Amino acid sequence: MTPKNIITTIKERQPNIKSIVYVGCGASQADLYPAKYFLEENSKDIRVSLYTANEFNYATPKAVDSSCIVITASLGGTTPETVEATSKAKKLGAHVITLTHIENSPITKDADYVLVHGFEKNYAAKLEKMTLAVQLAVEILYQFEGYDNYKEMINGFDKIYNLIEESVSTVLPEAKKFANSYKDDKLIYLMGSGATAKVAYSTSLCLLMEMQWVNSGNFHNGEFFHGPFEIVDKNVPFLLFMNDGKTRPMDSRALTFLQRFDAKITVIDAKDFGISSVISPKVVDYFNPMLISGVMRVYAEQLAIARSHPLTKRRYMWKLEY
């Protein structure tokens, strides 16, 4: 089924959806954030929330019932906490949709609807989970409340994958420069805003701490001046994500401050790749995270090469009981 067909079917069964709950862990939770961000900004009537899976399991929101859509995600479909959350949502009567790369994986057992996404084919395929989640969000808004920019979003979905592939094909020189410059840093800070805020979060937690064993922190650019900016100094390493859209002034303000004190800065800017010339400025905010994530993957791969530390290397994950 397509996202459109799934939401049409749910609406036929339950015309009065009151809440949407997104559930995942780590990168999968972050991949759901742009969808949550879209609905939060545009929906007038629907309650929207995002939970890490065990928080959902231990402190389940009362809104999870037949008037709720729960959307879960797990790349391999085996994350124990998210599998449990999917089953719990089903038992509570919610309409459960799951996103996974592996058909018939454990997470699909209690899901009402399953969207299987790509991953290996190319860089764009790695962003299918995030994009499908936003497609579901757009259909929820359009079918239950109406949405003036629906056509612009559909056009964006048609264009984003090609834009990612075109963009990543140009960034290798800058990615190598980043890798060689940052390979010996013991700590790297990540910053982002808007729909891209959780890209900074997942890059920090997953690509750096999990996959490279590099200490990292992440801040929302709007929160930067409410505490974190005190650690800025000459040559302190930062990686800043800049959006094309409404929250760009926050990104620019943060960049100006970092430059003022001669911090060590690398910027990945969606505007550099011409995103608003391909996708309508009315909806460009919601496509920044896909593009920036695709480009960041190239940077991460080059950092792994420069550090002689493969992205697949682990010492605890999947190796110990925890």
Side-chain angles (χ1 to χ4, degrees), residues 155-176:
N155 178 69
F157 295 131
D158 289 340
K159 300 289 180 61
I160 188 61
Y161 293 127
N162 285 339
L163 180 60
I164 291 169
E165 287 302 300
E166 290 169 4
S167 299
V168 299
S169 71
T170 68
V171 301
L172 188 57
E174 287 301 313
K176 287 183 175 180

Side-chain angles (χ1 to χ4, degrees), residues 14-230:
Q14 173 56 272
N16 185 27
I17 291 295
K18 297 179 180 179
S19 58
I20 311 297
V21 180
Y22 293 97
V23 182
C25 297
S28 287
Q29 184 199 163
D31 284 344
L32 295 171
Y33 180 77
K36 183 248 190 187
Y37 183 90
F38 168 84
L39 273 179
E40 238 177 7
E41 184 178 359
N42 290 285
S43 175
K44 294 180 179 179
D45 301 317
I46 298 172
R47 168 185 173 178
V48 188
S49 55
L50 174 66
Y51 279 77
T52 190
N54 251 359
E55 183 84 11
F56 179 89
N57 294 330
Y58 289 122
T60 312
K62 300 296 184 186
V64 179
D65 57 20
S66 61
S67 68
C68 176
I69 298 173
V70 174
I71 300 174
T72 66
S74 169
L75 178 63
T78 59
T79 308
E81 299 93 332
T82 315
V83 172
E84 181 182 344
T86 303
S87 299
K88 186 162 194 175
K90 176 69 173 177
K91 288 177 183 176
L92 290 171
H95 308 268
V96 185
I97 306 169
T98 198
L99 301 165
T100 183
H101 178 47
I102 305 299
E103 194 171 359
N104 298 320
S105 56
I107 200 172
T108 68
K109 179 173 64 73
D110 285 329
D112 297 306
Y113 311 93
V114 178
L115 286 171
V116 178
H117 59 82
F119 192 77
E120 291 92 356
K121 181 181 177 181
N122 53 28
Y123 290 96
K126 298 183 192 318
L127 278 305
E128 286 183 18
K129 187 201 310 176
M130 184 186 290
T131 307
L132 284 169
V134 177
Q135 286 181 272
L136 285 167
V138 170
E139 290 298 334
I140 290 167
L141 182 68
Y142 182 64
Q143 294 193 38
F144 285 94
E145 293 187 25
Y147 180 47
D148 291 342
N149 295 327
Y150 181 76
K151 289 182 180 179
E152 287 83 355
M153 288 296 294
I154 298 302
N155 178 69
F157 295 131
D158 289 340
K159 300 289 180 61
I160 188 61
Y161 293 127
N162 285 339
L163 180 60
I164 291 169
E165 287 302 300
E166 290 169 4
S167 299
V168 299
S169 71
T170 68
V171 301
L172 188 57
E174 287 301 313
K176 287 183 175 180
K177 180 181 176 182
F178 160 79
N180 290 327
S181 177
Y182 285 68
K183 63 184 176 63
D184 296 321
D185 285 314
K186 305 302 182 185
L187 183 148
I188 302 172
Y189 293 111
L190 272 294
M191 298 176 62
S193 73
T196 307
K198 287 288 185 178
V199 178
Y201 168 86
S202 61
T203 301
S204 178
L205 266 66
C206 301
L207 286 173
L208 290 181
M209 288 193 276
E210 175 190 332
M211 300 181 188
Q212 288 297 289
W213 307 349
V214 172
N215 292 324
S216 183
N218 62 94
F219 324 118
H220 190 289
N221 289 337
E223 285 290 287
F224 182 56
F225 295 97
H226 303 279
F229 75 144
E230 284 292 340

Side-chain angles (χ1 to χ4, degrees), residues 7 23 27 44 75 92 127 137 150 173 177 190 204 210 219 236 238-239 246 252-253 271 288 301 303 306 314:
I7 302 307
V23 182
K44 294 180 179 179
L75 178 63
L92 290 171
L127 278 305
Y150 181 76
K177 180 181 176 182
L190 272 294
S204 178
E210 175 190 332
F219 324 118
V236 175
F238 287 85
L239 180 53
K246 292 189 284 290
S252 299
R253 183 187 178 201
K271 202 166 189 174
N288 286 299
E301 289 169 352
L303 182 64
R314 304 289 187 277

